[in-house]
Amino acid sequence: MGSKAEWWKGAVVYQIYPRSFRDTNGDGIGDLKGIEEKLDYVAGLGADAIWLSPFYPSPNKDFGYDVSDYCGIAPEMGTMADFDRLVAETHKRGLKLIVDQVLAHTSEQHQWFQESQLSADNPKSDWYVWADAKEDGTVPNNWLSAFGGPAWSWNPIRRQYYHHKFLKSQPKLNFHNEEVVAACMDVLRFWLDRGVDGFRLDVANAYLHDATLTDNPPLPMDKRTFMDWAHAPRLQQHIHDANTPENEWAMKRVRAVMEEYDERLAFGEFSERQEMLGLYAGGLERLHTGYTFHFLEDWSFEPPVFRAYYEELLAPLADLFPCVTFSNHDIVRPVTRWGGGQGDDALAKLALTILVALKGTVLMYQGEELGLPETDLDRQYIKDPVGDLYFPWVKGRDGCRTPMPWEAKAEGAGFTSGTPWLPIPDYHKARAADAQAGDANSVLAHAKKIVALRKVHPALRLGDIRFLDTESKMLAFTREGEGETLLCVFNLGTEAASYALPEGAGEAVFDLGEAKRAGATLSLGARAGAILKA
């Protein structure tokens, strides 16, 4: 098991949200042919792999994360022939292809649930999490849905409640049933047999639940942040509906399937109890790796945030090579989280540089390489169920899912010849790929340079990381391994600052912004940085 090539370690994985990447038939929804059309663009970034968010048949209550057929292609996305061609064309360019798998739950329209709901004694009656009502008709326990309200919905046919960690249209699969596990493992094999190189596992911390349906305890008052108070489900500790120690067993089952094939990758999304990462990923039996929401939920952009991730969460996990990510399809874009407004190219460049300089497999989300900020949408355009629930105080996830701007002057920004499913703002069109392509000072050009730097310097890909003491807004760490040591220093602030270089610091291999050295003093302007030989 340990002898297989670990191509994914230190790789740059480019996440594509298919619905918003490129539409080739004018219906306003991105498709597989559109992804194929833009493969040269992705390869040109220097990415090693692409990760596709769901493209399976779905009623789109949660835009693909409510799967109604695990082994099909959504009509609006194309055909299986389109997918097979995409696999071949991806591989032809030397890229790996990773696809999302949503095995914790299905759509209510999935044939498994359609059968399960019919009775308490049919062949699939136990494929989902069913429970009787309390004597007064109320829900079985206090579990709360991540999308608001109780995590239980009544089914009048079975006269029971079914559990859903998200929307009521996303019933939870019962991983305590071996038939369910076997069926899900066959889903993985179906796509592996078609040539995919691996999977990103959605809510991988929630495959198994406490079969006794024990209430979740409250989150202690001293642990509650502004993020928790914004959303009632976060006010309880999700230790019984998810994040259970036995979930490790499910991760091992996935890894065993991956080991049936050569050089495949399975990495998981681990939210909520981030300390469970080491139980679910790392080593030769669990998932290869995974990511948490440590950076994704950070709004401070303070140096201690970066240090804490490695020294507090990852340091005890000797057999885990981590993922590092600042952005995805669920999270307010980093330029907005860390800077606000309608864009900040200096901040975008700095964030990309830090992302690539940190230890881990990089997960970069479409548009991050363009410095796209969050789109501020009016109520009439909100489609995400989270935005629908909390608008206008929280606008949901639509703002990071608006279509890619390919052409600055095209009506549909080069994304579509029709009406895009979500609007594309002018401040995104100004940062379109074609507008940046010929500009050596653009965020896009910078993204290519910094990804190329990682390929040239193996210490950035695979080396160890050690953080150095700093003051104010300065972030400093070394990357050491593969025969070289690099010193990375970044000014996260909006005021110029200086850093006393350690003895032996060598020449810079990369400068960002205003970076000047006078002897042992490195002066950095706002949002500037330098990577030096050490």
Side-chain angles (χ1 to χ4, degrees), residues 205-239:
N205 57 307
Y207 283 17
L208 281 158
H209 66 286
D210 173 21
T212 66
L213 305 185
T214 303
D215 280 354
N216 283 328
L219 183 68
M221 295 296 289
D222 62 350
K223 300 290 187 182
R224 299 182 180 189
T225 68
F226 83 97
M227 294 284 289
D228 299 318
W229 282 107
H231 193 37
R234 296 182 61 130
L235 299 181
Q236 60 180 219
Q237 298 180 70
H238 292 272
I239 61 174

Side-chain angles (χ1 to χ4, degrees), residues 93-172:
R93 290 162 175 79
L95 296 167
K96 304 289 188 181
L97 180 64
I98 299 164
V99 301
D100 241 304
Q101 280 299 338
V102 191
L103 302 182
H105 54 260
T106 70
S107 163
E108 63 183 351
Q109 296 184 22
H110 197 290
Q111 62 179 6
W112 296 347
F113 186 74
Q114 291 297 303
E115 183 174 347
S116 184
Q117 71 175 341
L118 293 178
S119 68
D121 58 3
N122 70 75
K124 288 188 171 59
S125 61
D126 193 40
W127 278 45
Y128 293 82
V129 182
W130 295 95
D132 292 330
K134 291 181 179 178
E135 188 175 2
D136 61 359
T138 54
V139 294
N141 62 19
N142 76 340
W143 296 355
L144 293 174
S145 162
F147 288 167
W152 298 93
S153 286
W154 181 254
N155 183 279
I157 302 175
R158 282 189 54 152
R159 298 180 182 178
Q160 284 184 304
Y161 282 102
Y162 65 88
H163 172 48
H164 51 88
K165 187 169 174 62
F166 298 94
L167 294 174
K168 64 177 296 185
S169 56
Q170 294 169 295
K172 173 79 172 62

